[in-house]
Amino acid sequence: MTPLEEILHKRIAAEGPMSIAEYMSLCLMHPQYGYYPTRDPLGAAGDFITAPEVSQMFGELLGLCLAQCWMDQGRPETFVLAELGPGRGTLMADATRAMRGVPGMLEAARLHLVETSPRLRDEQRRRLGPLMPVWHESVADLPEAPLFLLANEFFDALPIRQFLRAGDAWAERVVGLRDGALRFGLTEPVAQAALAPRLADTSEGDLVETCAPAQGIAEELGRRIAAHGGAALIVDYGAERSLGDTFQALRRHERADPLAAPGEADLTAHVDFGALAEAAPCAHTQLTPQGLFLERLGITDRARALAAKLSGAALESHVAAHRRLTHPAEMGSLFKTLGFFPEGATPPPGLLT
């Protein structure tokens, strides 16, 4: 039993079953035993690999996408360049390297990173120190200014709740104790005002997931972009609308039981992109598969240019990275992209409205 599991057992024994949102929050963010505060989860030695770790092309193209947005909106003299959950800083390092080719952009940028993990902040400082980043605990702490933002695999780690439809009511899935072990259970069904719109597109026994923190962040991003200008690129795995159980754990690059070894595995759920779009009070693009988005931005031409300087194992690895980012059987279809931008402005390149 992990130290966090003991804490969970005691809390459930004293207070009763907890929501999946509370369980996720404790497993991921407990200050002593939570997953993110205690480790670097990325790379071969960690539990998962994100697109920026696969190839520099991903960050370069997203950086150039934001650069075009900045130019389309009149090149604001000072703006907030931000990332949510920057990991090791790889994505922002690649993005800003590409932005150096755009006259005046980095001079106008003020880099702000939303990151709570002390270990990952150290990694970000190592990679991004010359850009003088400022760190924040939440989106609400960002300065009020034009906002050009990246969020790759950020929303999937925010705590969700799960509800099972029973007639016109909903039973919430919770985490409790049975036979001395953590087990899933259900509350008694009750009406849920927030889920009333889902009665039209679900059936008896369907499970839907909600994520109030994600909607709150989307609303805040949209408010800032509507008020000051800018753009946000959100890349994650998910769908237009939540339907079905997507709560999952990853440990050492393999699927794991979400209730096993709390604090030792990454916990995520698919993103409800429709809920994000509805929450943001600004314009948004169509939801677009990552592979199609990157192809529209010119990833194949960039891959060919880089390949011309490679040979042998390095070339094979490069070709495999291009496939992994774009092919429908790899990350190309599972991951989606959603863009936010001001009403009346040009949408981000590679995305349609």
Side-chain angles (χ1 to χ4, degrees), residues 129-148:
L131 296 170
M132 294 184 291
V134 178
W135 283 269
H136 303 282
E137 293 286 321
S138 73
V139 171
D141 298 329
L142 293 172
E144 294 284 345
L147 174 64
F148 293 83

Side-chain angles (χ1 to χ4, degrees), residues 275-316:
L276 299 187
E278 290 164 7
C282 66
H284 63 84
T285 67
Q286 295 176 17
L287 189 60
T288 304
Q290 174 179 293
L292 177 57
F293 173 58
L294 294 175
E295 289 293 356
R296 287 173 176 168
L297 292 180
I299 191 172
T300 297
D301 287 341
R302 178 60 176 150
R304 289 187 181 124
L306 291 172
K309 305 173 185 177
L310 302 173
S311 62
L315 177 59
E316 291 177 9

Side-chain angles (χ1 to χ4, degrees), residues 26-304:
L26 287 168
C27 289
L28 295 178
M29 299 308 300
H30 188 279
Q32 279 183 286
Y33 305 118
Y35 181 76
Y36 285 115
T38 58
R39 73 200 68 223
D40 178 353
L42 295 163
D47 296 305
F48 58 90
I49 294 176
T50 61
E53 308 288 334
V54 171
S55 170
Q56 69 186 68
M57 296 184 291
F58 182 80
E60 290 172 346
L61 291 172
L62 266 62
L64 292 175
C65 182
L66 283 187
Q68 186 63 56
C69 293
W70 177 71
M71 291 187 287
D72 288 341
Q73 293 183 37
R75 301 173 181 258
E77 291 183 3
T78 302
F79 69 92
V80 171
L81 175 62
E83 185 176 355
L84 307 184
R88 292 175 172 171
T90 307
L91 171 56
M92 187 56 72
D94 291 337
T96 51
R97 186 178 59 253
M99 290 174 184
R100 286 195 182 97
V102 181
M105 186 173 187
L106 283 188
E107 290 77 7
R110 303 295 180 266
L111 181 58
H112 292 261
L113 305 174
V114 177
E115 176 62 69
T116 59
S117 167
R119 293 189 63 172
L120 291 176
R121 283 190 181 192
D122 287 342
E123 279 291 311
Q124 294 154 20
R125 187 175 291 107
R126 186 174 67 82
R127 280 186 168 85
L128 302 171
L131 296 170
M132 294 184 291
V134 178
W135 283 269
H136 303 282
E137 293 286 321
S138 73
V139 171
D141 298 329
L142 293 172
E144 294 284 345
L147 174 64
F148 293 83
L149 177 138
L150 299 174
N152 179 64
E153 290 200 56
F154 171 80
F155 284 92
D156 63 85
L158 297 178
I160 61 158
R161 296 172 69 184
Q162 291 186 326
F163 296 91
L164 195 73
R165 182 171 173 181
D168 287 345
W170 301 86
E172 183 166 8
R173 199 174 185 216
V174 293
V175 178
L177 291 174
R178 189 169 65 248
D179 300 327
L182 296 172
R183 293 287 185 269
F184 289 117
L186 290 171
T187 66
E188 288 297 314
V190 295
Q192 297 283 345
L195 289 174
R198 298 306 309 272
L199 295 175
D201 64 0
T202 57
S203 303
E204 180 77 14
D206 279 348
L207 185 145
V208 300
E209 297 169 341
T210 66
C211 186
Q215 290 176 269
I217 291 170
E219 182 178 10
E220 180 67 10
L221 295 180
R223 181 194 66 78
R224 290 166 179 269
I225 290 169
H228 307 293
L233 299 176
I234 300 168
V235 185
D236 225 312
Y237 49 87
E240 187 71 48
R241 185 61 68 195
S242 165
L243 186 61
D245 177 14
T246 71
F247 182 44
Q248 60 187 325
L250 271 178
R251 192 177 187 192
R252 302 188 183 99
H253 302 270
E254 299 287 344
R255 291 285 184 93
D257 179 354
L259 300 185
E264 301 291 328
D266 185 36
L267 301 179
T268 68
H270 285 207
V271 175
D272 183 339
F273 282 99
L276 299 187
E278 290 164 7
C282 66
H284 63 84
T285 67
Q286 295 176 17
L287 189 60
T288 304
Q290 174 179 293
L292 177 57
F293 173 58
L294 294 175
E295 289 293 356
R296 287 173 176 168
L297 292 180
I299 191 172
T300 297
D301 287 341
R302 178 60 176 150
R304 289 187 181 124

Side-chain angles (χ1 to χ4, degrees), residues 327-349:
H327 197 279
E330 305 255 3
M331 300 174 79
S333 290
L334 174 64
F335 284 79
K336 312 291 195 307
T337 308
L338 179 69
F340 291 165
F341 63 103
E343 293 284 353
T346 303

